[in-house]
Amino acid sequence: MNDPAVGATRPASHDLPPSPEFEAFMACGWAATPLPGGIRLPVADLAAARRAKLSARFPGERLIIPAGELRVRSNDCDHRFRPHSAYAWLTGLTGEEQAGHVLVLEPDGPQRHEAVLYVRPRSSRRGPEFYRDRRYGEFWVGRRPDLAEAERMTGIRCEHLETYGRLPPGRDASRDAGLAAALSELRLVKDAWEVEQLQQAVDHTVAGFEDVVRALPRALAHPRGERWIEGVFGLRARAEGNGTGYETIAASGAHACTLHWIRNDGRLDPRELLLLDAGVETDSLYTSDITRTLPLSGRFSSVQRQVYELVLAAQEAGIAALRPGASFRDFHRAGMRVIAEGLAEWGVLKSPEGDLHRRYTLCSSGHMLGLDVHDCAQARADVYLDGVLEEGQVLTVEPGLYLQADDETLPAELRGIGVRIEDDLVITADGARLMSHALPRTPDAVETWMGELLAG
């Protein structure tokens, strides 16, 4: 199979050409090193059940779900690879060695499919790939399973990736909107294993936030303190999981009014707030997504507390609206009613009616969460955004106020303050469980928590 990510523009190796004698020497004298026995993935049976659900939606059609390809970051360096979420969900395979692999569901009668996984197996010792190929060679990027090992891991029949190009066309999830939508919709409700993975991601994220607070004295002293914060959280994410589930937002002062501030190059000022939006992604690729807005001095000023308490009240209203059968949009509407009424009480708005409050909130108040931070985004609107909540769904509730520094509709003391409070919740039979309860949310509890961590 041609690899579109490998082309003539990729630089040649700087190595000298090997002699025939060296090649012969490298082809012999290697001990057998099979992977340990019993390597079946814990999620293999769940993945099989997921494939069966997908199969039932597309009887008689060939379905193609690629893992995705390596992409060049710079010259001969690739970005770190993460398999496509649908591929990981259907196979249980999450490693960097999955680049280029493809899952195919072959029609096997009118009502079922056979899964076939096309993989690049372990480098053979008979040729130079294992020590010469900088992109896929074992000595460069590590051991891959051979075909038999991959079959034992997944319970899926495995074929060499070279044979994939001879297949007839089918519905490709990377190009077929209908198949992509179906895959998103099937992932809306999480099974118990997925909720467990998400709870692990949340717990590691809580630890990362604690690390950040402990690191504040050094971050405050650094000219790019935001980046110090990003690095501290990133260390926890890589130590405990696959990394961060998305680019960390470490936004101090007026930077917090930029919703996706990921430059993180600013200095920290103890008179200001730090908005930290960050999540650890587990090795199984499930991510948390939590935001806290912290006073860099350890104490909120009166105006900072005023803004924070309004956002917290909006979040509480949103959380109270979560239950099976409620409209997905209900929690956003509930939170925005609180925001609009608060802005009217402050005199920023003449009336809480209408949608003028959106100038200061800018976006929706939450989203589904899972393998992607904005999970199931390809689902049809009537199933997701205009649908109803179901037990087992995991989502965020994250209202915010973003009071721009140059907004002359605001009193001067409010300008340049950005506050977001975001938590992860799972819908239960009678409401929702706060998965991120270990992180304080009230201003008094935040101050106490910060004081204890800094004192320790």
Side-chain angles (χ1 to χ4, degrees):
M1 175 190 178
N2 291 329
D3 184 347
V6 180
T9 58
R10 189 171 176 85
S13 169
H14 291 168
D15 295 341
L16 293 171
S19 67
E21 292 78 12
F22 176 75
E23 290 184 330
F25 183 52
M26 289 296 289
C28 64
W30 300 107
T33 55
L35 292 179
I39 56 174
R40 186 174 172 85
L41 297 170
V43 73
D45 292 339
L46 288 171
R50 297 165 186 170
R51 294 192 297 272
K53 290 179 182 179
L54 180 63
S55 173
R57 289 208 180 191
F58 296 92
E61 297 190 71
R62 175 176 287 104
L63 306 178
I64 300 168
I65 302 92
E69 301 285 354
L70 289 170
R71 289 291 180 263
V72 174
R73 180 185 183 278
S74 173
N75 193 37
D76 58 349
C77 297
D78 292 317
H79 288 282
R80 186 180 295 277
F81 180 77
R82 180 196 187 278
H84 190 280
S85 294
Y87 174 91
W89 189 70
L90 292 169
T91 66
L93 297 167
T94 60
E96 296 176 18
E97 75 283 353
Q98 298 302 311
H101 295 186
V102 184
L103 173 68
V104 177
L105 298 188
E106 289 285 355
D108 186 18
Q111 299 298 324
R112 62 183 301 271
H113 291 78
E114 180 193 15
V116 184
L117 196 56
Y118 292 87
V119 303
R120 182 181 292 102
R122 183 185 187 186
S123 312
S124 169
R125 293 295 191 265
R126 299 191 186 97
E129 179 193 295
F130 75 101
Y131 66 93
R132 291 277 289 167
D133 189 327
R134 295 168 178 250
R135 207 173 209 186
Y136 301 113
E138 185 172 328
F139 281 17
W140 290 92
V141 297
R143 170 85 148 82
R144 295 191 303 270
D146 62 29
L147 291 177
E149 290 167 340
E151 287 189 357
R152 288 201 302 273
M153 290 172 68
T154 62
I156 303 173
R157 179 164 68 88
C158 293
E159 300 288 347
H160 199 295
L161 186 60
E162 290 177 348
T163 66
Y164 171 70
R166 298 197 288 269
L167 291 180
R171 299 187 68 157
D172 188 323
S174 63
R175 294 188 289 270
D176 187 297
L179 178 54
L183 285 162
S184 278
E185 291 162 15
L186 287 169
R187 289 169 41 217
L188 279 166
V189 175
K190 273 57 180 179
D191 57 42
W193 183 86
E194 291 180 290
V195 174
E196 177 185 318
Q197 296 302 301
L198 284 161
Q199 186 63 62
Q200 288 181 17
V202 167
D203 294 344
H204 292 319
T205 300
V206 168
F209 274 72
E210 293 171 348
D211 295 340
V212 163
V213 172
R214 293 188 187 97
L216 281 177
R218 295 196 66 181
L220 282 159
H222 196 278
R224 291 203 292 184
E226 290 178 343
R227 202 155 289 185
W228 193 279
I229 295 301
E230 177 187 352
V232 167
F233 187 86
L235 173 59
R236 174 67 66 170
R238 282 295 283 168
E240 305 291 358
N242 188 53
T244 55
Y246 52 96
E247 293 293 329
T248 296
I249 298 168
S252 65
H255 290 167
C257 300
T258 301
L259 273 72
H260 287 174
W261 176 263
I262 60 172
R263 297 180 200 171
N264 300 341
D265 59 359
R267 182 183 287 277
L268 304 185
D269 186 328
R271 297 169 298 180
E272 296 178 333
L273 299 173
L274 170 72
L275 188 156
L276 177 61
D277 186 336
V280 173
E281 179 181 85
T282 63
D283 290 332
S284 58
L285 304 187
Y286 289 83
T287 187
S288 174
D289 182 8
I290 297 175
T291 305
R292 287 294 182 269
T293 306
L294 309 175
L296 284 166
S297 68
R299 296 284 178 181
F300 291 98
S301 70
S302 59
V303 70
Q304 290 168 351
R305 181 177 282 257
Q306 173 188 345
V307 177
Y308 188 97
E309 287 181 336
L310 179 55
V311 175
L312 179 61
Q315 193 197 34
E316 293 284 12
I319 291 173
L322 298 176
R323 65 184 183 280
S327 167
F328 172 80
R329 297 188 190 271
D330 282 352
F331 74 90
H332 172 66
R333 296 187 182 106
M336 291 304 100
R337 279 196 297 273
V338 172
I339 292 288
E341 289 168 1
L343 290 171
E345 288 177 8
W346 293 354
V348 172
L349 295 177
K350 293 180 180 179
S351 165
E353 303 304 319
D355 67 350
L356 298 187
H357 65 277
R358 296 176 65 177
R359 178 180 178 117
Y360 312 103
T361 60
L362 300 178
C363 67
S364 183
S365 301
H367 51 81
M368 291 297 177
L369 186 68
L371 283 166
D372 294 322
V373 64
H374 299 136
D375 206 35
C376 310
Q378 305 304 313
R380 292 167 295 176
D382 62 319
V383 179
Y384 177 2
L385 298 177
D386 297 321
V388 297
L389 297 176
E390 297 182 51
E391 184 177 357
Q393 290 179 338
V394 178
L395 72 164
T396 71
V397 177
E398 52 169 320
L401 274 173
Y402 311 99
L403 309 176
Q404 304 294 331
D406 58 351
D407 190 340
E408 294 182 342
T409 69
L410 293 167
E413 66 271 15
L414 290 176
R415 296 176 196 169
I417 296 177
V419 173
R420 179 163 65 252
I421 309 170
E422 178 180 22
D423 285 274
D424 303 343
L425 300 103
V426 57
I427 303 299
T428 60
D430 58 356
R433 175 170 63 85
L434 185 62
M435 302 175 76
S436 47
H437 63 87
L439 276 179
R441 293 187 297 133
T442 68
D444 288 344
V446 167
E447 289 178 348
T448 299
W449 170 73
M450 291 182 68
E452 291 172 349
L453 289 171
L454 288 167

